[in-house]
Amino acid sequence: MPEPEDRSSLTDLDKRLRAARERQNQVNKPESSNRADAASGMAVGFRISIEIVAALIMGFGIGYYLDQLLGTKPWLMIIFFFLGIGAAFANVVRVAKQLENKKRFRDNREDRAE
Protein backbone atom coordinates (compact mmCIF):
# COMPACT_ATOMS: atom_id res chain seq x y z
CA MET A 1 0.00 0.00 0.00
CA PRO A 2 1.52 3.36 -1.03
CA GLU A 3 2.23 5.95 1.55
CA PRO A 4 0.25 9.24 1.60
CA GLU A 5 3.30 11.15 0.31
CA ASP A 6 3.37 8.98 -2.80
CA ARG A 7 -0.28 9.75 -3.56
CA SER A 8 0.29 13.48 -3.34
CA SER A 9 3.29 13.27 -5.65
CA LEU A 10 1.23 11.22 -8.13
CA THR A 11 -1.59 13.76 -7.93
CA ASP A 12 0.90 16.55 -8.51
CA LEU A 13 2.40 14.66 -11.45
CA ASP A 14 -1.10 14.13 -12.88
CA LYS A 15 -1.86 17.86 -12.64
CA ARG A 16 1.39 18.76 -14.37
CA LEU A 17 0.77 16.22 -17.14
CA ARG A 18 -2.73 17.58 -17.74
CA ALA A 19 -1.41 21.13 -17.87
CA ALA A 20 1.31 20.09 -20.33
CA ARG A 21 -1.23 18.31 -22.53
CA GLU A 22 -3.47 21.37 -22.48
CA ARG A 23 -0.57 23.62 -23.52
CA GLN A 24 0.36 21.16 -26.27
CA ASN A 25 -3.23 21.11 -27.55
CA GLN A 26 -3.27 24.91 -27.67
CA VAL A 27 -0.02 24.93 -29.64
CA ASN A 28 -1.22 22.27 -32.11
CA LYS A 29 -4.59 23.87 -32.93
CA PRO A 30 -3.30 26.58 -35.30
CA GLU A 31 -1.05 24.10 -37.07
CA SER A 32 -3.90 21.73 -37.81
CA SER A 33 -6.08 24.57 -39.11
CA ASN A 34 -3.21 25.72 -41.35
CA ARG A 35 -3.02 22.24 -42.83
CA ALA A 36 -6.75 22.27 -43.46
CA ASP A 37 -6.48 25.70 -45.08
CA ALA A 38 -3.62 24.51 -47.28
CA ALA A 39 -5.55 21.43 -48.34
CA SER A 40 -8.61 23.55 -49.02
CA GLY A 41 -6.54 25.96 -51.09
CA MET A 42 -5.15 23.11 -53.15
CA ALA A 43 -8.64 21.76 -53.72
CA VAL A 44 -9.82 25.16 -54.91
CA GLY A 45 -6.83 25.43 -57.24
CA PHE A 46 -7.58 22.05 -58.77
CA ARG A 47 -11.26 22.94 -59.09
CA ILE A 48 -10.49 26.20 -60.89
CA SER A 49 -7.97 24.58 -63.22
CA ILE A 50 -10.38 21.77 -64.13
CA GLU A 51 -13.18 24.25 -64.80
CA ILE A 52 -10.90 26.31 -67.06
CA VAL A 53 -9.77 23.28 -69.05
CA ALA A 54 -13.32 21.91 -69.29
CA ALA A 55 -14.72 25.22 -70.54
CA LEU A 56 -11.99 25.52 -73.18
CA ILE A 57 -12.43 21.94 -74.36
CA MET A 58 -16.21 22.27 -74.50
CA GLY A 59 -16.02 25.52 -76.46
CA PHE A 60 -13.51 24.07 -78.89
CA GLY A 61 -15.45 20.81 -79.22
CA ILE A 62 -18.81 22.47 -79.88
CA GLY A 63 -17.23 24.79 -82.44
CA TYR A 64 -15.42 21.92 -84.16
CA TYR A 65 -18.61 19.83 -84.29
CA LEU A 66 -20.65 22.71 -85.72
CA ASP A 67 -17.91 23.44 -88.26
CA GLN A 68 -18.02 19.81 -89.41
CA LEU A 69 -21.80 19.87 -89.53
CA LEU A 70 -22.19 23.21 -91.32
CA GLY A 71 -18.93 23.27 -93.34
CA THR A 72 -17.78 26.62 -91.94
CA LYS A 73 -14.23 25.62 -90.98
CA PRO A 74 -12.58 27.17 -88.83
CA TRP A 75 -14.85 30.08 -87.95
CA LEU A 76 -17.27 28.50 -85.49
CA MET A 77 -14.42 26.68 -83.79
CA ILE A 78 -12.63 29.97 -83.23
CA ILE A 79 -15.79 31.72 -82.03
CA PHE A 80 -16.74 28.94 -79.62
CA PHE A 81 -13.16 28.70 -78.35
CA PHE A 82 -13.35 32.36 -77.33
CA LEU A 83 -16.78 31.74 -75.82
CA GLY A 84 -15.13 28.94 -73.81
CA ILE A 85 -12.50 31.41 -72.60
CA GLY A 86 -15.31 33.73 -71.47
CA ALA A 87 -17.07 30.86 -69.69
CA ALA A 88 -13.82 29.88 -67.96
CA PHE A 89 -13.30 33.45 -66.78
CA ALA A 90 -16.89 33.61 -65.49
CA ASN A 91 -16.35 30.34 -63.59
CA VAL A 92 -13.19 31.66 -61.95
CA VAL A 93 -15.00 34.83 -60.85
CA ARG A 94 -17.91 32.75 -59.50
CA VAL A 95 -15.58 30.48 -57.49
CA ALA A 96 -13.71 33.50 -56.11
CA LYS A 97 -16.98 35.08 -54.96
CA GLN A 98 -18.04 31.83 -53.29
CA LEU A 99 -14.73 31.66 -51.42
CA GLU A 100 -15.02 35.27 -50.34
CA ASN A 101 -18.56 34.73 -49.05
CA LYS A 102 -17.50 31.59 -47.20
CA LYS A 103 -14.59 33.43 -45.56
CA ARG A 104 -16.80 36.37 -44.62
CA PHE A 105 -19.38 34.00 -43.09
CA ARG A 106 -16.66 32.16 -41.12
CA ASP A 107 -15.15 35.44 -39.86
CA ASN A 108 -18.57 36.71 -38.75
CA ARG A 109 -19.28 33.46 -36.95
CA GLU A 110 -15.90 33.61 -35.16
CA ASP A 111 -16.52 37.23 -34.15
CA ARG A 112 -19.89 36.30 -32.64
CA ALA A 113 -18.33 33.39 -30.74
CA GLU A 114 -15.84 35.69 -29.07
Side-chain angles (χ1 to χ4, degrees):
M1 189 178 233
E3 296 179 13
E5 291 178 22
D6 290 337
R7 286 185 187 165
S8 66
S9 66
L10 287 176
T11 304
D12 183 48
L13 178 62
D14 185 49
K15 287 180 184 178
R16 290 188 315 197
L17 282 173
R18 287 178 192 219
R21 285 184 187 136
E22 187 65 35
R23 283 192 307 267
Q24 188 66 31
N25 287 339
Q26 292 298 327
V27 169
N28 286 340
K29 280 184 183 178
E31 181 180 324
S32 63
S33 67
N34 287 341
R35 287 182 188 166
D37 289 343
S40 175
M42 190 182 315
V44 170
F46 281 129
R47 177 181 172 190
I48 289 173
S49 62
I50 287 171
E51 287 188 11
I52 289 171
V53 170
L56 293 176
I57 289 173
M58 287 301 295
F60 181 82
I62 291 171
Y64 182 78
Y65 175 74
L66 289 175
D67 274 339
Q68 294 295 323
L69 187 65
L70 302 173
T72 58
K73 286 183 185 174
W75 298 109
L76 290 177
M77 184 176 61
I78 293 170
I79 291 170
F80 275 89
F81 180 75
F82 283 111
L83 288 174
I85 290 172
F89 182 73
N91 285 340
V92 169
V93 170
R94 181 179 46 84
V95 169
K97 284 183 180 180
Q98 286 176 351
L99 289 174
E100 183 180 343
N101 289 338
K102 184 188 283 187
K103 183 181 182 309
R104 187 177 302 135
F105 176 75
R106 191 177 352 153
D107 289 345
N108 288 339
R109 193 175 63 193
E110 288 175 0
D111 288 343
R112 289 180 188 156
E114 292 174 357

CSV table of all heavy atoms in Angstrom, one decimal, residues 73-102:
chain,number,residue,atom,x,y,z
A,73,LYS,N,-15.6,25.7,-91.6
A,73,LYS,CA,-14.2,25.6,-91.0
A,73,LYS,C,-13.5,26.9,-91.2
A,73,LYS,O,-13.5,27.5,-92.3
A,73,LYS,CB,-13.4,24.5,-91.6
A,73,LYS,CG,-13.9,23.1,-91.1
A,73,LYS,CD,-13.0,22.1,-91.7
A,73,LYS,CE,-13.5,20.7,-91.3
A,73,LYS,NZ,-12.7,19.7,-92.0
A,74,PRO,N,-12.7,27.4,-90.3
A,74,PRO,CA,-12.6,27.2,-88.8
A,74,PRO,C,-13.3,28.2,-88.0
A,74,PRO,O,-13.0,28.4,-86.8
A,74,PRO,CB,-11.1,27.3,-88.6
A,74,PRO,CG,-10.7,28.4,-89.6
A,74,PRO,CD,-11.7,28.2,-90.8
A,75,TRP,N,-14.3,28.9,-88.6
A,75,TRP,CA,-14.9,30.1,-88.0
A,75,TRP,C,-15.6,29.8,-86.7
A,75,TRP,O,-15.5,30.4,-85.7
A,75,TRP,CB,-15.7,30.9,-88.9
A,75,TRP,CG,-14.9,31.4,-90.1
A,75,TRP,CD1,-14.9,30.9,-91.4
A,75,TRP,CD2,-13.9,32.3,-90.0
A,75,TRP,NE1,-14.0,31.6,-92.1
A,75,TRP,CE2,-13.3,32.5,-91.3
A,75,TRP,CE3,-13.4,33.1,-89.0
A,75,TRP,CZ2,-12.3,33.3,-91.6
A,75,TRP,CZ3,-12.3,34.0,-89.2
A,75,TRP,CH2,-11.8,34.1,-90.5
A,76,LEU,N,-16.5,28.8,-86.7
A,76,LEU,CA,-17.3,28.5,-85.5
A,76,LEU,C,-16.4,27.9,-84.4
A,76,LEU,O,-16.6,28.2,-83.2
A,76,LEU,CB,-18.4,27.5,-85.8
A,76,LEU,CG,-19.6,28.1,-86.6
A,76,LEU,CD1,-20.6,27.1,-86.9
A,76,LEU,CD2,-20.2,29.3,-85.9
A,77,MET,N,-15.4,27.2,-84.8
A,77,MET,CA,-14.4,26.7,-83.8
A,77,MET,C,-13.7,27.8,-83.1
A,77,MET,O,-13.6,27.8,-81.8
A,77,MET,CB,-13.4,25.8,-84.5
A,77,MET,CG,-12.4,25.1,-83.5
A,77,MET,SD,-11.3,23.9,-84.3
A,77,MET,CE,-10.5,25.0,-85.5
A,78,ILE,N,-13.3,28.8,-83.8
A,78,ILE,CA,-12.6,30.0,-83.2
A,78,ILE,C,-13.6,30.7,-82.3
A,78,ILE,O,-13.3,31.1,-81.2
A,78,ILE,CB,-12.0,30.9,-84.3
A,78,ILE,CG1,-10.9,30.2,-85.1
A,78,ILE,CG2,-11.6,32.2,-83.7
A,78,ILE,CD1,-10.4,30.9,-86.3
A,79,ILE,N,-14.8,31.0,-82.8
A,79,ILE,CA,-15.8,31.7,-82.0
A,79,ILE,C,-16.1,31.0,-80.7
A,79,ILE,O,-16.1,31.6,-79.6
A,79,ILE,CB,-17.1,32.0,-82.9
A,79,ILE,CG1,-16.8,33.0,-84.0
A,79,ILE,CG2,-18.2,32.5,-82.0
A,79,ILE,CD1,-17.9,33.1,-85.0
A,80,PHE,N,-16.4,29.7,-80.8
A,80,PHE,CA,-16.7,28.9,-79.6
A,80,PHE,C,-15.5,28.8,-78.7
A,80,PHE,O,-15.7,28.6,-77.5
A,80,PHE,CB,-17.4,27.6,-80.0
A,80,PHE,CG,-18.8,27.7,-80.2
A,80,PHE,CD1,-19.3,28.0,-81.5
A,80,PHE,CD2,-19.8,27.6,-79.2
A,80,PHE,CE1,-20.7,28.1,-81.8
A,80,PHE,CE2,-21.1,27.7,-79.5
A,80,PHE,CZ,-21.6,28.0,-80.7
A,81,PHE,N,-14.3,28.7,-79.2
A,81,PHE,CA,-13.2,28.7,-78.4
A,81,PHE,C,-13.1,30.0,-77.5
A,81,PHE,O,-12.9,29.9,-76.3
A,81,PHE,CB,-11.9,28.5,-79.2
A,81,PHE,CG,-10.6,28.5,-78.3
A,81,PHE,CD1,-10.3,27.3,-77.6
A,81,PHE,CD2,-9.8,29.6,-78.3
A,81,PHE,CE1,-9.2,27.3,-76.9
A,81,PHE,CE2,-8.6,29.5,-77.5
A,81,PHE,CZ,-8.3,28.4,-76.8
A,82,PHE,N,-13.3,31.1,-78.1
A,82,PHE,CA,-13.3,32.4,-77.3
A,82,PHE,C,-14.5,32.4,-76.4
A,82,PHE,O,-14.4,33.0,-75.3
A,82,PHE,CB,-13.3,33.6,-78.3
A,82,PHE,CG,-11.9,33.8,-78.8
A,82,PHE,CD1,-11.7,33.6,-80.2
A,82,PHE,CD2,-10.9,34.2,-78.0
A,82,PHE,CE1,-10.4,33.8,-80.7
A,82,PHE,CE2,-9.6,34.4,-78.5
A,82,PHE,CZ,-9.4,34.2,-79.9
A,83,LEU,N,-15.7,31.8,-76.8
A,83,LEU,CA,-16.8,31.7,-75.8
A,83,LEU,C,-16.4,30.8,-74.6
A,83,LEU,O,-16.8,31.1,-73.5
A,83,LEU,CB,-18.0,31.2,-76.5
A,83,LEU,CG,-18.7,32.2,-77.5
A,83,LEU,CD1,-19.9,31.5,-78.2
A,83,LEU,CD2,-19.2,33.4,-76.7
A,84,GLY,N,-15.6,29.8,-74.9
A,84,GLY,CA,-15.1,28.9,-73.8
A,84,GLY,C,-14.2,29.7,-72.9
A,84,GLY,O,-14.2,29.5,-71.7
A,85,ILE,N,-13.4,30.6,-73.4
A,85,ILE,CA,-12.5,31.4,-72.6
A,85,ILE,C,-13.4,32.3,-71.7
A,85,ILE,O,-13.1,32.5,-70.5
A,85,ILE,CB,-11.5,32.2,-73.5
A,85,ILE,CG1,-10.5,31.3,-74.1
A,85,ILE,CG2,-10.8,33.3,-72.7
A,85,ILE,CD1,-9.6,32.0,-75.2
A,86,GLY,N,-14.4,32.9,-72.3
A,86,GLY,CA,-15.3,33.7,-71.5
A,86,GLY,C,-16.0,32.9,-70.4
A,86,GLY,O,-16.1,33.4,-69.2
A,87,ALA,N,-16.4,31.7,-70.7
A,87,ALA,CA,-17.1,30.9,-69.7
A,87,ALA,C,-16.1,30.5,-68.6
A,87,ALA,O,-16.4,30.5,-67.4
A,87,ALA,CB,-17.6,29.6,-70.3
A,88,ALA,N,-14.8,30.2,-69.0
A,88,ALA,CA,-13.8,29.9,-68.0
A,88,ALA,C,-13.6,31.1,-67.0
A,88,ALA,O,-13.5,30.9,-65.8
A,88,ALA,CB,-12.5,29.5,-68.7
A,89,PHE,N,-13.5,32.3,-67.6
A,89,PHE,CA,-13.3,33.5,-66.8
A,89,PHE,C,-14.5,33.7,-65.8
A,89,PHE,O,-14.3,34.0,-64.7
A,89,PHE,CB,-13.1,34.7,-67.7
A,89,PHE,CG,-12.9,35.9,-66.9
A,89,PHE,CD1,-11.6,36.2,-66.3
A,89,PHE,CD2,-13.9,36.9,-66.8
A,89,PHE,CE1,-11.4,37.4,-65.6
A,89,PHE,CE2,-13.7,38.1,-66.1
A,89,PHE,CZ,-12.4,38.3,-65.5
A,90,ALA,N,-15.7,33.5,-66.3
A,90,ALA,CA,-16.9,33.6,-65.5
A,90,ALA,C,-16.9,32.6,-64.4
A,90,ALA,O,-17.3,32.9,-63.2
A,90,ALA,CB,-18.1,33.5,-66.3
A,91,ASN,N,-16.4,31.4,-64.6
A,91,ASN,CA,-16.4,30.3,-63.6
A,91,ASN,C,-15.3,30.7,-62.5
A,91,ASN,O,-15.6,30.5,-61.3
A,91,ASN,CB,-16.0,29.0,-64.2
A,91,ASN,CG,-17.1,28.3,-64.9
A,91,ASN,OD1,-18.3,28.7,-64.7
A,91,ASN,ND2,-16.8,27.4,-65.8
A,92,VAL,N,-14.2,31.3,-62.9
A,92,VAL,CA,-13.2,31.7,-62.0
A,92,VAL,C,-13.7,32.8,-61.1
A,92,VAL,O,-13.5,32.8,-59.8
A,92,VAL,CB,-11.9,32.1,-62.7
A,92,VAL,CG1,-10.9,32.8,-61.7
A,92,VAL,CG2,-11.2,30.9,-63.3
A,93,VAL,N,-14.4,33.7,-61.6
A,93,VAL,CA,-15.0,34.8,-60.9
A,93,VAL,C,-16.0,34.3,-59.9
A,93,VAL,O,-16.1,34.7,-58.7
A,93,VAL,CB,-15.6,35.9,-61.8
A,93,VAL,CG1,-16.4,36.9,-61.0
A,93,VAL,CG2,-14.5,36.6,-62.6
A,94,ARG,N,-16.9,33.3,-60.4
A,94,ARG,CA,-17.9,32.7,-59.5
A,94,ARG,C,-17.3,32.0,-58.3
A,94,ARG,O,-17.7,32.1,-57.2
A,94,ARG,CB,-18.8,31.8,-60.3
A,94,ARG,CG,-19.9,31.1,-59.5
A,94,ARG,CD,-20.7,30.2,-60.4
A,94,ARG,NE,-20.0,29.3,-61.3
A,94,ARG,CZ,-19.5,28.2,-60.9
A,94,ARG,NH1,-19.6,27.8,-59.7
A,94,ARG,NH2,-18.8,27.4,-61.8
A,95,VAL,N,-16.2,31.2,-58.6
A,95,VAL,CA,-15.6,30.5,-57.5
A,95,VAL,C,-14.9,31.4,-56.5
A,95,VAL,O,-15.0,31.2,-55.3
A,95,VAL,CB,-14.5,29.5,-58.1
A,95,VAL,CG1,-13.7,28.9,-57.0
A,95,VAL,CG2,-15.2,28.4,-58.8
A,96,ALA,N,-14.3,32.5,-57.0
A,96,ALA,CA,-13.7,33.5,-56.1
A,96,ALA,C,-14.8,34.2,-55.2
A,96,ALA,O,-14.5,34.4,-54.0
A,96,ALA,CB,-13.0,34.5,-56.9
A,97,LYS,N,-15.9,34.5,-55.8
A,97,LYS,CA,-17.0,35.1,-55.0
A,97,LYS,C,-17.5,34.1,-53.9
A,97,LYS,O,-17.8,34.5,-52.8
A,97,LYS,CB,-18.1,35.5,-55.8
A,97,LYS,CG,-17.8,36.8,-56.6
A,97,LYS,CD,-19.0,37.3,-57.4
A,97,LYS,CE,-18.7,38.5,-58.2
A,97,LYS,NZ,-19.9,39.0,-59.0
A,98,GLN,N,-17.6,32.8,-54.3
A,98,GLN,CA,-18.0,31.8,-53.3
A,98,GLN,C,-17.0,31.7,-52.1
A,98,GLN,O,-17.4,31.6,-51.0
A,98,GLN,CB,-18.2,30.5,-54.0
A,98,GLN,CG,-19.4,30.3,-54.8
A,98,GLN,CD,-19.5,29.0,-55.5
A,98,GLN,OE1,-18.5,28.2,-55.5
A,98,GLN,NE2,-20.6,28.7,-56.2
A,99,LEU,N,-15.8,31.7,-52.5
A,99,LEU,CA,-14.7,31.7,-51.4
A,99,LEU,C,-14.8,32.9,-50.5
A,99,LEU,O,-14.6,32.8,-49.3
A,99,LEU,CB,-13.3,31.5,-52.1
A,99,LEU,CG,-13.0,30.2,-52.7
A,99,LEU,CD1,-11.7,30.2,-53.4
A,99,LEU,CD2,-13.1,29.1,-51.7
A,100,GLU,N,-15.0,34.0,-51.1
A,100,GLU,CA,-15.0,35.3,-50.3
A,100,GLU,C,-16.2,35.3,-49.4
A,100,GLU,O,-16.1,35.6,-48.2
A,100,GLU,CB,-15.1,36.5,-51.3
A,100,GLU,CG,-15.1,37.8,-50.6
A,100,GLU,CD,-15.2,39.0,-51.5
A,100,GLU,OE1,-14.9,38.8,-52.7
A,100,GLU,OE2,-15.5,40.1,-51.1
A,101,ASN,N,-17.4,34.8,-49.9
A,101,ASN,CA,-18.6,34.7,-49.1
A,101,ASN,C,-18.4,33.7,-47.9
A,101,ASN,O,-18.8,34.0,-46.8
A,101,ASN,CB,-19.8,34.4,-49.9
A,101,ASN,CG,-20.2,35.5,-50.8
A,101,ASN,OD1,-19.9,36.7,-50.5
A,101,ASN,ND2,-20.9,35.2,-51.8
A,102,LYS,N,-17.7,32.6,-48.2
A,102,LYS,CA,-17.5,31.6,-47.2
A,102,LYS,C,-16.6,32.1,-46.1
A,102,LYS,O,-16.8,31.9,-44.9
A,102,LYS,CB,-16.9,30.3,-47.8
A,102,LYS,CG,-16.7,29.2,-46.8
A,102,LYS,CD,-15.9,28.1,-47.4
A,102,LYS,CE,-16.7,27.2,-48.4
A,102,LYS,NZ,-16.0,26.0,-48.8
